[in-house]
Amino acid sequence: MKTKITELLGIMYPIIQGGMAWVAEYHLAAAVSEAGGLGIIGAGGAPASHVREQIQKTKELTKKPFGVNVMLMNPEADEIAKVIVEEGVSVVTTGAGNPGKYLAMWKEAGIRVIPVVASVGLARMMERAGVDALIAEGTESGGHIGAATTMTLVPQVVDAVKIPVIAAGGIADGRGFAAAMMLGAEAVQMGTRFVVAKESIVHENYKKKILAAKDIDSEVTGASHGHPVRQLRNNMTREYLKLEKAGAPFEELEHLTLGALRKAVVEGDTVNGTLMAGQIAGMIKEEMTCAEMIQEIMEQAERLLIK
Ligand code: TUI
């Protein structure tokens, strides 16, 4: 399927894998790229040296294009931005902030720059700054989120800018893909579905929680201090929300979440770990390879779009 995004990025299918911290490492990124989508290494909160290693390992597994996501709150974001240039990565996505200060360096290196935006305001600002495309991410997503839903955000961003828009948040099958195209998107980004890919290194306990999740099993923590994060309900979210409701200071809440994503992804701690997942988790029922998922989504979407 050809769209402005498949042309821009040189990929077969307009499906991009979310740059999820801890989850989006080189096995997953390479598998998605090999399957014809765009795999992404999620730098998350990792040090720049780790990101460089991940890039090098991905290159060993695939010759196809892949990207790196820079989580802009990472204290080593400046170094990671340089590593991306040095390693000749072809696509960068960014999250949780404004990547303005890196744009000149990335564009000069010929990198395709695609920031995640959660509002029309930032979308316009990013287009003016010269980015290649945008990911409009709705509040249905897992992890750090904005306030607008995918259904409302995507068409408003599409109307506001001329560059291609990728829809994210609440998309996990061919119906969601087709709906995103109807809203004017040129591709989709999926996170939660790829967490349970066969190639994903995420702990089996975490995957099982996503596969067992129902529609209303996610919870948003941190909204009171401006860092809303969506994750599956567990002991951690109950404790967090109780403290948050009681007006606990930011530092105390931070302490609760420190290292909690690693605990979930690596150790499989589903009680006190952070099980980041989007609202679409309730629809995901099966672990598949990335190639199987992408084939299934594209076949279903094409049937719907031809109707
Ligand atoms: O970045 C994400 N999702 C993430 S990052 C992450 S790591 C983390 N772990 C624990 C606590 C907090 C973060 C987990 N999930 N998605 C992209 C995204 N970007 N969603 C929303 C935004 C966003 C929000 C506001 C982007 C820009 C923005 O504006 C900031 C500005 O400076 O204008």
Side-chain angles (χ1 to χ4, degrees):
M1 183 187 237
K2 267 194 188 167
T3 73
K4 286 178 187 159
I5 290 293
T6 60
E7 298 291 294
L8 178 73
L9 304 180
I11 56 177
M12 185 99 74
Y13 304 113
I15 297 181
I16 293 163
Q17 169 236 316
M20 303 162 281
W22 287 101
V23 174
E25 50 66 73
Y26 73 97
H27 296 95
L28 184 64
V32 173
S33 287
E34 277 296 293
L38 186 78
I40 301 266
I41 296 163
S49 57
H50 178 78
V51 179
R52 191 189 296 278
E53 254 172 54
Q54 291 284 316
I55 295 168
Q56 291 172 349
K57 287 178 171 159
T58 310
K59 285 181 194 162
E60 284 170 20
L61 293 184
T62 185
K63 297 288 166 261
K64 298 198 169 146
F66 67 90
V68 173
N69 174 268
V70 184
M71 204 280 282
L72 294 161
M73 294 191 292
N74 183 322
E76 291 198 22
D78 289 0
E79 289 77 21
I80 294 167
K82 283 186 213 134
V83 164
I84 286 166
V85 175
E86 287 161 12
E87 292 294 328
V89 173
S90 56
V91 186
V92 176
T93 65
T94 64
N98 181 341
K101 68 172 174 170
Y102 307 121
L103 280 184
M105 175 174 71
W106 286 339
K107 289 312 300 168
E108 210 164 291
I111 299 171
R112 306 287 189 218
V113 183
I114 313 182
V116 171
V117 297
S119 67
V120 167
L122 189 62
R124 283 209 173 100
M125 198 191 296
M126 290 292 99
E127 181 182 48
R128 275 201 302 274
V131 304
D132 298 279
L134 294 166
I135 300 167
E137 189 185 281
T139 195
E140 297 92 322
S141 307
H144 179 81
I145 49 172
T149 60
T150 302
M151 179 75 104
T152 58
L153 182 67
V154 172
Q156 293 187 79
V157 171
V158 166
D159 285 349
V161 300
K162 293 195 174 68
I163 52 177
V165 175
I166 298 159
I171 302 166
D173 70 358
R175 294 171 297 179
F177 180 104
M181 296 293 133
M182 292 294 110
L183 296 177
E186 298 282 340
V188 300
Q189 177 181 276
M190 300 195 310
T192 308
R193 183 137 190 218
F194 284 123
V195 176
V196 294
K198 284 223 168 99
E199 295 92 340
S200 150
I201 51 82
V202 169
H203 197 286
E204 216 45 46
N205 296 352
Y206 191 156
K207 290 187 179 179
K208 280 187 186 143
K209 284 287 177 192
I210 290 182
L211 295 171
K214 295 191 294 296
D215 52 352
I216 52 171
D217 281 350
S218 78
E219 209 70 270
V220 178
T221 59
S224 64
H225 52 76
H227 293 291
V229 171
R230 185 181 301 284
Q231 59 210 281
L232 296 180
R233 188 179 300 111
N234 63 1
N235 186 59
M236 217 284 280
T237 61
R238 282 190 201 96
E239 280 300 304
Y240 192 108
L241 291 171
K242 203 164 70 189
L243 285 170
E244 198 174 14
K245 207 169 165 195
F250 179 63
E251 293 71 30
E252 192 181 340
L253 295 169
E254 273 289 274
H255 187 70
L256 207 60
T257 55
L258 204 68
L261 182 58
R262 185 192 163 278
K263 239 190 259 177
V265 174
V266 180
E267 295 167 20
D269 183 348
T270 59
V271 179
N272 292 308
T274 302
L275 301 166
M276 291 188 191
Q279 288 183 324
I280 205 67
M283 206 178 72
I284 301 168
K285 295 292 169 215
E286 206 186 334
E287 193 173 339
M288 289 185 185
T289 66
C290 294
E292 286 165 350
M293 279 181 201
I294 291 175
Q295 286 303 324
E296 186 191 83
I297 292 166
M298 291 312 303
E299 280 169 23
Q300 190 184 16
E302 276 170 11
R303 276 198 307 275
L304 292 168
L305 292 168
I306 288 164
K307 262 187 198 167

